[in-house]
Each structure stands twice: as structure tokens, then as C-alpha cells.
Amino acid sequence: MSGGEKRPASESSNHASSPKRAAASSGPLRGLQNFGNTCFLNSALQMLGACEEMERSRLLGPFFSGLRSGRQMNAMGARALVMRRFPDFRNSNQHDSHEWLLRLLEVLEEKGDKSSIAELFDGKHEVTVCFPDCGHI
């Protein structure tokens, strides 16, 4: 199409990432109920729910299986796990999603999901510095 012509919405180059397209290809999309300032943990749980491997979690496997199948799930169990271990989360304040996610992963590792969490999220970064003039590494 030339510069001045508008493309019909059905021909948009970005249609593959639309919510309707995603729902059609991966089943129904469901959110999690907000129990008052819980959107930070809901977003972290939805991100983890995208990892099929989380269904094998000893503590939260059924939650993630339900979330991935499109059932309406309650995030209060995951919230309670973090609140029991970390007092800073024992309130109804808004918190940082990344901080809460790290605490959840820590709790899951402590409670028996260590190998699966480590396989999914741990990494190692190595840097080798080589000095071409002297050959030292």
C-alpha cells in the first residue's frame, strides 16, 4: 500500500499479538481477582503461569495448572506463603512485583521445589578477559 492509504484493521501487521488471537491459540485467558492492592502479585503469578514447568511445583502446581487451563483461580495461597516467611508483606499495601516474585521463588525453594526453581531461573554468567599483547587470560 502506498503511504497515504490506510490498511484495513483485518490486515494489520500486528494482529498476531492481539488478545483475541492469543485467546484463540492458547485457550481462554483469565485474570486473577484483585483482593485490594494485590495486582503486584497477580502479575508475577501470571508471568510464572506462562512457564509450563510451574505446574510441577509441589506447593503451587495445582494453582498453576488451573490458571493455565483457564479456570478462575485464587492467589491467596501464594500470598500466604510469602506473608508467613516475609513480614514486610503482611499488609494490604502495594508492593514491588519483582521483589514479591523473588520472595515467592525463595519460599518455593525452601519448601521443596529447589531443583525445579533452580533449573528454571538460576543462571551463570562467565566472563573471560584475554589480553592479546601479553597472552594472559
Side-chain angles (χ1 to χ4, degrees), residues 27-136:
L29 298 176
R30 293 255 189 226
L32 294 167
Q33 185 175 353
N34 189 333
F35 290 100
N37 280 337
T38 59
C39 55
F40 66 94
L41 69 97
N42 289 350
S43 64
L45 290 170
Q46 287 174 324
M47 184 274 305
L48 285 176
C51 302
E52 286 180 33
E53 294 85 356
M54 291 305 294
E55 292 183 37
R56 293 192 301 260
S57 168
R58 192 173 67 79
L59 295 171
L60 293 176
F63 170 83
F64 288 114
S65 293
L67 188 64
R68 290 180 55 79
S69 70
R71 292 194 312 265
Q72 184 69 40
M73 301 303 295
N74 184 329
M76 299 318 320
R79 182 179 186 217
L81 285 172
V82 174
M83 288 172 61
R84 277 194 290 267
R85 173 73 172 76
F86 297 99
D88 290 349
F89 291 98
R90 293 181 191 157
N91 54 52
S92 58
N93 297 338
Q94 184 65 265
H95 294 280
D96 181 76
S97 184
H98 182 248
E99 183 180 347
W100 189 86
L101 171 64
L102 292 175
R103 299 303 167 258
L104 175 64
L105 294 175
E106 188 175 328
V107 169
L108 292 176
E109 282 186 321
E110 289 173 357
K111 302 283 185 185
D113 284 341
K114 185 166 185 71
S115 63
S116 61
I117 297 300
E119 288 172 16
L120 285 172
F121 300 108
D122 285 358
K124 183 177 180 180
H125 180 75
E126 280 188 19
V127 176
T128 303
V129 179
C130 181
F131 299 92
D133 292 341
C134 62
H136 285 105

Side-chain angles (χ1 to χ4, degrees), residues 8-29:
S10 62
E11 293 181 22
S12 172
S13 61
N14 198 22
H15 74 284
S17 63
S18 73
K20 277 186 177 181
R21 175 73 60 158
S25 63
S26 64
L29 298 176

